[in-house]
Amino acid sequence: MLKALRFLGWPLIVGVLVALLIIQRYPEWVGLPRQEVHLQEAPKFSLTRKGPDSYADAVNSASPAVANLYTTKMVSKPAHPLFEDPQFRRFFGDNLPRQRRMESSLGSAVIMSPEGYLLTNNHVTAGADQIVVALKDGRETLARLVGADPETDLAVLKIDLENLPSITLGRSDNIRIGDVALAIGNPFGVGQTVTMGIISATGRNQLGLNTYEDFIQTDAAINPGNSGGALVDANGNLIGVNTAIFSKSGGSQGIGFAIPVKLALEVMKAIIEHGSVIRGWLGIEVQPLTPELAESFGLEGRPGIVVAGIYRDSPAQRANLQPGDIILSIDGEPAGDGRRSMNQVARTRPGEKVSILVMRNGQELVLSAEVGLRPPPTNNGGS
């Protein structure tokens, strides 16, 4: 009996293993579902589908419309270090001889129209007594400051020269992460320079750089002096105004920011028409609706922002908004992000009315507020 089992054991084991292999390879033979893995293969591109070997045409199109800025200011300082000595000043007072000297800083600007309107950064021109514009063709002229908007860090200049080159405008709302981007400017005062990278991100905000932020992020090298210069696409069309970098060393580390041309144009047109940017204002301070707060108010999964404070005699106070109210939407737009809602209010013309859906004491209320004119940024930071 044992001999018979030993004789039949190996064939039986081999048969079971073969059966398992067959079931694994053809599970449908025994009524089991087939485990399929669907892999997506890249298409076989032809040799003609490749990027350009050069971006010279794009640079030749855009670079004449990018100018260098030399901003100068008069700085008063003592004629001799001895005059700063406290004991010396004690006897002679403040009526000491002082000398004045010129300090110059470098930046860039984009020629937006043949009429001579230029866009640059507010921090480039702020406090300047004189602004010299140097064009790529060698011409130089003095510029007049039309107006500035510190809250977006933009400024508009005007020059009077004939046959001015102007840049071709692109569409910043159509750019995609991964698109090629070229930065043109005057880094460190070495002269006009072009660097290349890609669009790293769009819609960057909450960086603490400006009040209104909607930055394009790029790894195209942006260095001191590039501020106010052009960020263009692979065809040489303007998609942004270079404005800032994130750096621990002061030089480019592959994280640069540009103001989208769509926002820049809105600011430029407002400055040319009104001398400043007119923004709507409700007069509230808001804070995010945290998950803990949302749970306590029974608002899990619903967007909202909490009214943390209200300015006296503001449109919000006249509309009966109260601290502690949770704003759920403004004119039907969900209020899930305080900065986005602030921008929505800012884009509303003063005098227009907005409908505000709020949650108060567990009840939903619809309030109507007449948007006011936003005061200067030194007065408040609310929306």
Side-chain angles (χ1 to χ4, degrees):
M1 184 66 179
L2 292 175
K3 184 181 291 186
L5 288 174
R6 283 197 298 268
F7 179 77
L8 296 174
W10 283 111
L12 182 62
I13 293 172
V14 172
V16 170
L17 291 176
V18 171
L20 290 174
L21 289 174
I22 292 174
I23 291 173
Q24 184 179 17
R25 180 68 179 83
Y26 303 103
E28 67 274 12
W29 287 4
V30 293
L32 296 176
R34 173 181 287 273
Q35 299 295 326
E36 296 183 352
V37 178
H38 300 281
L39 302 177
Q40 183 174 338
E41 296 184 359
K44 296 180 180 179
F45 293 113
S46 65
L47 293 178
T48 58
R49 296 189 64 181
K50 61 179 182 179
D53 296 324
S54 172
Y55 295 99
D57 290 340
V59 173
N60 288 338
S61 171
S63 60
V66 181
N68 295 344
L69 293 187
Y70 300 85
T71 63
T72 60
K73 63 178 69 175
M74 297 300 297
V75 179
S76 178
K77 69 172 188 176
H80 192 278
L82 179 63
F83 294 158
E84 286 294 288
D85 183 87
Q87 296 297 326
F88 195 92
R89 295 175 62 88
R90 178 181 177 185
F91 287 101
F92 292 93
D94 292 328
N95 297 321
L96 298 173
R98 305 180 71 85
Q99 64 181 14
R100 295 169 63 83
R101 64 186 177 89
M102 300 289 287
E103 282 190 354
S104 179
S105 61
L106 300 172
S108 306
V110 184
I111 303 174
M112 301 296 291
S113 72
E115 292 79 19
Y117 287 103
L118 284 71
L119 262 179
T120 186
N121 287 139
N122 174 66
H123 74 260
V124 172
T125 60
D129 295 316
Q130 189 179 69
I131 304 172
V132 180
V133 178
L135 275 61
K136 187 181 179 183
D137 61 15
R139 290 182 290 173
E140 291 189 1
T141 186
L142 292 178
R144 173 174 60 88
L145 180 65
V146 179
D149 182 40
E151 297 191 282
T152 55
D153 194 23
L154 288 169
V156 178
L157 306 176
K158 180 71 167 64
I159 59 175
D160 297 312
L161 288 176
E162 296 181 352
N163 301 318
L164 283 174
S166 60
I167 202 156
T168 303
L169 303 181
R171 294 182 61 88
S172 55
D173 49 356
N174 283 352
I175 61 175
R176 302 174 300 168
I177 297 173
D179 285 349
V180 169
L182 308 173
I184 308 176
N186 180 28
F188 299 109
V190 300
Q192 191 177 91
T193 302
V194 182
T195 56
M196 187 190 78
I198 63 170
I199 302 298
S200 304
T202 59
R204 286 287 193 226
N205 55 40
Q206 298 184 9
L207 301 177
L209 299 175
N210 300 334
T211 303
Y212 298 98
E213 297 180 339
D214 183 23
F215 290 120
I216 300 169
Q217 181 181 327
T218 179
D219 66 345
I222 296 175
N223 289 289
N226 273 106
S227 292
L231 186 70
V232 302
D233 61 20
N235 297 312
N237 303 318
L238 182 71
I239 56 176
V241 177
N242 300 323
T243 188
I245 60 173
F246 178 85
S247 174
K248 295 182 179 180
S249 64
S252 174
Q253 293 185 333
I255 304 178
F257 301 103
I259 300 168
V261 65
K262 182 179 179 180
L263 173 60
L265 280 175
E266 292 174 358
V267 172
M268 185 184 79
K269 291 176 181 178
I271 289 176
I272 293 174
E273 184 176 352
H274 305 289
S276 62
V277 181
I278 297 175
R279 293 188 172 94
W281 181 68
L282 285 178
I284 59 176
E285 293 283 357
V286 298
Q287 65 183 40
L289 180 65
T290 63
E292 294 78 14
L293 283 174
E295 183 178 359
S296 67
F297 287 106
L299 292 172
E300 298 95 327
R302 293 189 65 180
I305 51 178
V306 182
V307 178
I310 295 180
Y311 288 87
R312 183 177 301 174
D313 297 326
S314 66
Q317 186 181 56
R318 291 190 289 271
N320 197 30
L321 270 169
Q322 299 177 11
D325 285 348
I326 300 175
I327 297 177
L328 302 176
S329 67
I330 300 176
D331 269 352
E333 290 289 328
D337 180 89
R339 184 174 292 273
R340 184 175 301 171
S341 296
M342 181 179 69
N343 291 342
Q344 180 187 353
V345 172
R347 289 193 298 269
T348 305
R349 294 189 64 85
E352 293 184 4
K353 290 187 176 182
V354 294
S355 176
I356 306 173
L357 177 63
V358 304
M359 174 74 74
R360 179 187 300 168
N361 299 326
Q363 301 292 324
E364 291 188 5
L365 302 174
V366 178
L367 304 177
S368 178
E370 182 177 317
V371 175
L373 176 63
R374 179 177 172 84
T378 54
N379 289 4
N380 73 84
S383 61

